[in-house]
Amino acid sequence: MKRVMVILILLVTAFAFSWSGHDALTYIIVSQYEDDFDEFVQITPYTYADVDTQEYNPAIEGFYDYLGENYLPEEDLDLYTSIFPNPKPVDNLAPLWQILSVYSYEPDLGMDKGLELKGIETLLGDSQGLRHMEYRMLFFIRIGKATDVVQYFSDLAEIAYSRGDRYWAYRFMGRAIHYLEDVGQPFHTFPAPFFELVKLPFNIDKWQTVFANFHFAYDFYGGYLLWEEYEPLVEAIKEVSPKEIKDPKQAAVSLRRYSRNKLSSVYYELKRTMGDELENPEAVWLGKAYFDDLQNAGETEKLDALSVEILRETASYVKGYINYMLARFAEIDSEF
């Protein structure tokens, strides 16, 4: 059992990235809320050290303001196409939709790196994957904390709102949305189908790299579809009804369970369409030109349908989460 734990932790280490296109997915969703998120709010300094007990990357002093800035990590630059404006704030004011959209990307911008790891977690080498993924097996093995972090930032959002700080309420909420979207990515729930994982002990270096290639390929392909505004996907995101959510963590657990069940289907469709590239003992980074060629050749029909289905379900949870938080904010308002 200890060997299984070590292997899973090593795989979390390899898979440090998450869905590309968090900003696009969040923007498509919040743009449907019309007047709810058009309001401009004052940008305020971070003043939450008294309640924000989670560690952050010690190399980052404070939290950068990404509004009006190029915030993309290097690995996403090839895929990115802007689908919404990100203007610099005027008079230190910004609209809520911009805050949610931009800061739904923030957890991928370094804040979860370089953290102190303890015990068996030290095998990770880097802390990024620990907060962005969650592997479960045999009902009691759990590696990763993504569902916990959804709840953590939801709680901080409520604290900020109760202090009258709408900027940080929605910035914390944007972070929670990021982690919720992360557990909608099947490779954030488990590294590969069990029948593939049995290959790992025979050549751990090769298959760890191969599984990472599959993971990254699907991260990037999801971002590609979102930033290209793939019409069936955009329509599905807009049309899906919100889930009824009563608890952020339990919503994340439920979405994680759904996406875990999609892992095998996605893995084997990636293998069919991109296997020649991905089953490589060297790290492979697939980009926009490669995905364009696959789509133009008509090779991605089933993968696209799967991706639309998964992102539609993820969007349903995000919409339900937004409704939940708006209701919580309304309850706070009613107390004053």
Side-chain angles (χ1 to χ4, degrees), residues 217-233:
Y218 199 54
D219 279 343
F220 296 149
Y221 195 70
Y224 169 80
L225 293 177
L226 287 162
W227 282 319
E228 291 295 304
E229 297 183 84
Y230 179 57
E231 187 174 350
L233 174 58

Side-chain angles (χ1 to χ4, degrees), residues 12-46:
V12 171
T13 307
F15 307 155
F17 298 142
S18 57
W19 278 118
S20 297
H22 281 280
D23 56 347
L25 177 56
T26 304
Y27 174 74
I28 293 168
I29 292 169
V30 300
S31 64
Q32 291 185 272
Y33 280 74
E34 297 179 347
D35 297 339
D36 287 302
F37 298 129
D38 286 341
E39 181 183 353
F40 282 70
V41 298
Q42 191 79 23
I43 297 171
T44 55
Y46 172 81

Side-chain angles (χ1 to χ4, degrees), residues 93 135 149 212 249:
L93 297 170
Y135 296 167
V149 185
K249 179 176 178 177

Side-chain angles (χ1 to χ4, degrees), residues 40-45 90-94 99 164-168:
F40 282 70
V41 298
Q42 191 79 23
I43 297 171
T44 55
V90 176
D91 296 330
N92 211 36
L93 297 170
I99 296 167
D165 187 351
R166 302 188 71 191
Y167 170 74
W168 276 97

Side-chain angles (χ1 to χ4, degrees), residues 165-269:
D165 187 351
R166 302 188 71 191
Y167 170 74
W168 276 97
Y170 283 89
R171 185 164 175 173
F172 286 138
M173 186 175 160
R175 293 181 186 177
I177 288 172
H178 177 103
Y179 297 103
L180 181 59
E181 292 171 351
D182 269 356
V183 295
Q185 211 283 43
F187 288 96
H188 283 240
T189 68
F190 212 66
F194 278 113
F195 289 117
E196 299 297 323
L197 283 178
V198 297
K199 302 173 182 177
L200 194 59
F202 299 101
N203 191 335
I204 193 166
D205 290 337
K206 173 188 174 180
W207 288 104
Q208 181 174 327
T209 301
V210 168
F211 296 150
N213 287 342
F214 274 78
H215 181 129
F216 296 153
Y218 199 54
D219 279 343
F220 296 149
Y221 195 70
Y224 169 80
L225 293 177
L226 287 162
W227 282 319
E228 291 295 304
E229 297 183 84
Y230 179 57
E231 187 174 350
L233 174 58
V234 174
E235 289 179 359
I237 292 170
K238 288 182 176 180
E239 292 173 0
V240 71
S241 298
K243 296 286 185 185
E244 183 177 352
I245 289 177
K246 298 181 179 179
D247 179 277
K249 179 176 178 177
Q250 289 308 309
V253 169
S254 179
L255 176 56
R256 184 208 161 273
R257 188 180 302 118
Y258 165 85
S259 60
R260 172 67 181 87
N261 288 334
K262 296 296 181 182
L263 176 62
S264 290
S265 297
V266 172
Y267 185 95
Y268 290 113
E269 193 55 26

